[in-house]
Amino acid sequence: MRHIRQMLRLAGSGTSSREIAVMLGIARSTVQDNLKRAAMVGLSWPLASDLTDDVLEAKLFVHPGVKQGQRLRQEPDWGPLSIELKKPGVTLLILWEEYRSIHPDGYGYSRFCELFRGFEKRLSPTMRQEHVAGDKVFVDYSGKRVPIVDRKTGEIREAELFLGVLGASSYTYAEATWTQTLPDWIGSHVRMFTFVDGVPRLIVPDNLKSGVNRASFYDPEINRSYGVMAAHYGVGVLPARPRRPKDKAKVENGVKFAQSCILGRLRKQTFFSLTEANAAIAQMLERINNHVMRRLGVSRRNLFETVEQAALASLPSEHYEFAEWRLARVSTDYHVEFQSFFYSVPHALIRSQVDIRATERMIEIFHRGKRVAVHQRRYGGPRYGTDPAHMPSSHRRYAEWTPERFRRWGASIGPQTDGLIIAILASRPHPEQGFRTCLGILRLYRDIGQDRAEAVSARAVEIGGLNSKAIASLIATYKSKIPPTEPAAVVEHANLRGPSYFH
């Protein structure tokens, strides 16, 4: 406008168009065009003192008969069109053809697309991405936490806020969990799918360690347990690029909205349990999803029910059971460790690498995709869970040795031998240390009669000969003192404690 004022001033003083163009450094045709516009609207130098630049521009450059801000042709209602574009199979070309069928003199296809992109730019930044119904759900944790007070101690513990936002409708799910660890992360996904009663095609998470082992633009490594959950629901996982929040702008915007609508409105409430917090969050979710979005004129719930819900895949018939997967190497004692407890595998797999699948109730162990062992999960009691079938035959026989079993063997011979077994086991710091002694004694007793074994056992307890060497000596002494033709019944009633037999 400054140049135009100078043009009018110079032209009023009689300066030619060529000279004005040279003085102002612009094209002669531009000077002629502007002077012609001024003559058409009756402007000449000097201009009125109250003529502002805006008024001057309006007089010179607005098309006659067209009100500023209005289009020459009939425009469609861009809000409903942006909603229609989210439906599967709908393109701008289809929408343009429908528009031209109603307005034959309307805009051409290229201008139609240009105007639509301009409308998109006036919306929130998350609308710049094209989100097809049922295509994606964006998930993340809010950076802000929910404080929960312990009734007994007054201690405040902060819970995490999980958020999931569907791409096309912005339908939102939120809940509080204690941590961001794998069980809570996957559990939130399961409850989110139940909330929307369906499954989208893709999950777009942030690069949280619970979901992504290794972040990469080209080949991200998904956590195996997270991947198994996704496979159960038939949904793909497409992590956002590292340090690229625009890849998940939908949930980033949802996080901001949730922080104001959930955390901001609940900041004055005191929660004493996670259940109380989630009940309050559920009420806030109703408010968020029923709120009418200003530029689109519809609520998230309305968009979800009319556009997105039908495009979601059905939930699987079987309920998902959380399972954690771990890699482990079989130790030389043919056991693998999971959370400080040990579970056996077939001894032939010693030093092999196996996969552990741990559920709430069960531990399953796989080798090369084949299940080789299954155990009930342990949370207390003995740290080792051993299946006898996994043991070598020699170990299996040893594992069958118990104090009760040796006592039964001793009692089958007689009460004196039972007493000897009890005395041997009791004399050791650990009963297992007496197993081999008991086994050796019972083997020695195979060569003598029951009565003689009872006599030897009684004498061994009397003199404290509680080892295999002492028992063997007593048997040898007994054989040298007792005639071989003496009936066993006589030996049974003989006074074996007398000096004639052992002294």
Side-chain angles (χ1 to χ4, degrees):
M1 291 301 104
R2 179 173 55 84
H3 278 173
I4 290 176
R5 289 177 185 273
Q6 289 181 351
M7 289 179 201
L8 294 175
R9 180 178 59 80
L10 292 172
S13 62
T15 307
S16 67
S17 299
R18 185 184 301 276
E19 291 174 330
I20 294 174
V22 173
M23 294 173 64
L24 298 180
I26 58 178
R28 180 186 174 189
S29 60
T30 302
V31 175
Q32 292 175 334
D33 179 65
N34 288 333
L35 293 177
K36 183 178 179 181
R37 287 173 178 271
M40 290 177 62
V41 295
L43 290 176
S44 61
W45 192 263
L47 297 174
S49 58
D50 59 346
L51 188 66
T52 64
D53 285 351
D54 291 338
V55 175
L56 179 60
E57 182 180 10
K59 286 179 174 292
L60 293 176
F61 296 106
V62 173
H63 193 281
V66 178
K67 187 177 181 181
Q68 189 175 11
Q70 288 187 343
R71 303 287 184 190
L72 288 173
R73 295 179 174 86
Q74 180 68 37
E75 283 190 68
D77 190 346
W78 298 113
L81 256 65
S82 67
I83 296 173
E84 288 295 314
L85 190 61
K86 298 175 185 294
K87 297 180 178 180
V90 179
T91 64
L92 279 174
L93 179 61
I94 294 174
L95 296 177
W96 174 76
E97 290 174 348
E98 293 175 350
Y99 159 73
R100 286 298 294 264
S101 67
I102 300 174
H103 304 286
D105 298 330
Y107 291 103
Y109 178 64
S110 59
R111 180 58 174 162
F112 178 87
C113 294
E114 182 182 353
L115 292 174
F116 179 77
R117 299 305 178 194
F119 170 78
E120 279 190 320
K121 291 180 180 179
R122 298 195 298 271
L123 297 177
S124 62
T126 57
M127 289 296 293
R128 293 177 185 173
Q129 298 183 31
E130 292 185 6
H131 299 297
V132 179
D135 188 50
K136 295 176 184 176
V137 60
F138 299 82
V139 294
D140 200 1
Y141 282 103
S142 166
K144 305 294 183 180
R145 295 179 175 86
V146 182
I148 297 178
V149 181
D150 189 310
R151 288 184 183 272
K152 295 181 179 179
T153 64
E155 179 183 358
I156 297 177
R157 183 179 177 185
E158 292 189 328
E160 304 288 345
L161 182 62
F162 172 87
L163 286 159
V165 181
L166 288 170
S169 63
S170 296
Y171 196 59
T172 302
Y173 174 75
E175 70 170 15
T177 60
W178 284 123
T179 67
Q180 295 186 16
T181 56
L182 193 62
D184 283 337
W185 171 250
I186 292 181
S188 294
H189 281 70
V190 173
R191 290 183 286 273
M192 175 183 68
F193 293 144
T194 303
F195 178 78
V196 301
D197 194 27
V199 183
R201 188 176 67 89
L202 290 172
I203 303 173
V204 182
D206 201 354
N207 288 280
L208 183 75
K209 268 296 181 184
S210 294
V212 182
N213 289 339
R214 182 175 62 84
S216 170
F217 174 76
Y218 299 102
D219 190 19
E221 181 182 332
I222 306 300
N223 179 283
R224 182 169 182 180
S225 299
Y226 189 42
V228 170
M229 181 277 297
H232 176 82
Y233 285 98
V235 60
V237 179
L238 182 66
R241 292 175 296 171
R243 297 177 295 278
R244 294 293 188 275
K246 289 185 179 180
D247 285 4
K248 50 184 178 58
K250 178 71 70 171
V251 76
E252 293 290 340
N253 191 52
V255 165
K256 295 178 182 178
F257 193 63
Q259 285 178 354
S260 60
C261 291
I262 296 178
L263 299 178
R265 296 182 188 278
L266 298 179
R267 70 188 187 280
K268 295 183 179 180
Q269 293 189 33
T270 301
F271 303 111
F272 297 99
S273 69
L274 203 63
T275 303
E276 288 184 15
N278 280 322
I281 290 172
Q283 294 178 359
M284 291 298 103
L285 276 180
E286 286 292 316
R287 183 169 183 170
I288 290 172
N289 290 323
N290 291 327
H291 174 74
V292 176
M293 292 180 281
R294 179 168 56 88
R295 294 191 180 274
L296 294 180
V298 293
S299 67
R300 290 170 172 82
R301 183 178 300 280
N302 181 269
L303 272 179
F304 171 72
E305 293 175 348
T306 58
V307 174
E308 192 148 32
Q309 190 172 31
L312 296 175
S314 301
L315 291 172
S317 57
E318 295 182 3
H319 180 71
Y320 173 76
E321 182 181 19
F322 171 74
E324 188 172 356
W325 288 83
R326 295 279 181 87
L327 280 175
R329 191 169 295 278
V330 181
S331 178
T332 54
D333 65 354
Y334 47 88
H335 285 73
V336 292
E337 184 266 340
F338 183 81
Q339 294 186 351
S340 300
F341 288 89
F342 299 85
Y343 304 90
S344 68
V345 300
H347 66 88
L349 297 177
I350 288 175
R351 306 307 302 163
S352 298
Q353 185 170 281
V354 296
D355 296 303
I356 301 176
R357 180 180 183 269
T359 65
E360 185 178 357
R361 298 172 297 171
M362 187 183 302
I363 298 289
E364 295 176 284
I365 303 166
F366 295 83
H367 180 251
R368 297 183 179 275
K370 179 182 179 182
R371 190 172 76 172
V372 295
V374 59
H375 297 267
Q376 185 176 354
R377 185 167 179 177
R378 293 169 177 262
Y379 294 94
R383 295 177 62 197
Y384 282 82
T386 306
D387 185 343
H390 297 158
M391 307 170 70
S393 57
S394 58
H395 290 201
R396 193 179 306 122
R397 287 194 299 269
Y398 181 78
E400 293 171 354
W401 297 350
T402 62
E404 292 74 17
R405 185 161 188 175
F406 279 107
R407 286 194 59 186
R408 288 197 301 271
W409 285 344
S412 68
I413 297 174
Q416 299 299 334
T417 305
D418 185 22
L420 174 63
I421 296 298
I422 294 173
I424 291 172
L425 297 177
S427 67
R428 306 298 198 271
H430 300 285
E432 291 81 359
Q433 295 174 344
F435 287 176
R436 292 185 182 275
T437 300
C438 295
L439 195 64
I441 292 170
L442 295 171
R443 187 172 288 111
L444 290 172
Y445 281 1
R446 292 177 183 173
D447 300 329
I448 63 174
Q450 182 176 352
D451 297 331
R452 292 183 181 182
E454 282 285 276
V456 171
S457 296
R459 183 59 179 168
V461 172
E462 183 180 5
I463 65 175
L466 305 179
N467 54 63
S468 297
K469 186 177 180 180
I471 298 297
S473 177
L474 288 173
I475 291 174
T477 303
Y478 179 81
K479 285 182 178 180
S480 66
K481 297 294 184 180
I482 300 296
T485 57
E486 184 178 6
V490 175
V491 176
E492 182 180 359
H493 296 287
N495 184 9
L496 298 182
R497 298 184 182 181
S500 60
Y501 286 97
F502 298 101
H503 300 286

